[in-house]
Amino acid sequence: MATNPSLVSVETASGKFQQTVRVGKHVFLADEPESLGGTDSGPSPYDLLLAALGSCTSMTMKMYADRKGIPLEGVYIVLEHSREHVEDCRSCNNEDNRIDVIDRSITLKGDLTKEQRQKLLGIAQKCPVHRTLENRIDIHTTEVRD
């Protein structure tokens, strides 16, 4: 069982898709919506991915604004995941030439100048999760037997 906040453990729970997720002292359920055969008892895996990007983006922008004395009062972010067909996709790693797309809409709250808004939106591109998602990712899997 994970106790380090940088480690995540996931274990099958009840139902067709329900999972128990542990991150340090936090425990919550992940699931799929009823329309996909789940019980909708928690966010879906893609919901969690979008939540990671959105929360990291907001945290990074707020941290930057605080450090630079920018009067950012709040950030509101809406994210959506989709797949798009791209005719000439040299970087696609699938046969049907589809790429994953995340649309991120950011609302900045506060009395901000045009320059401050532009700088903050640029900082959004630099959040660590954003950079991770744009990098090549290698996932190493090993089986652990009891």
Side-chain angles (χ1 to χ4, degrees), residues 59-80:
M59 288 175 187
T60 301
M61 294 171 83
K62 183 71 170 114
M63 181 180 65
Y64 178 84
D66 289 349
R67 191 171 53 227
K68 297 293 184 175
I70 297 173
L72 178 65
E73 295 172 9
V75 179
Y76 177 73
I77 301 175
V78 177
L79 300 107
E80 183 178 21

Side-chain angles (χ1 to χ4, degrees), residues 92-131:
C92 288
N93 58 359
N94 53 52
E95 294 177 10
D96 59 356
N97 288 346
R98 293 198 180 273
I99 61 169
D100 286 272
V101 175
I102 296 174
D103 291 308
R104 176 176 56 187
S105 300
I106 301 174
T107 302
L108 302 174
K109 299 175 184 176
D111 186 21
L112 305 167
T113 67
K114 181 179 178 183
E115 293 77 23
Q116 290 170 328
R117 290 176 181 281
Q118 288 174 336
K119 187 62 180 173
L120 288 168
L121 292 174
I123 292 299
Q125 310 288 27
K126 296 180 180 183
C127 93
V129 172
H130 181 116
R131 288 182 170 183

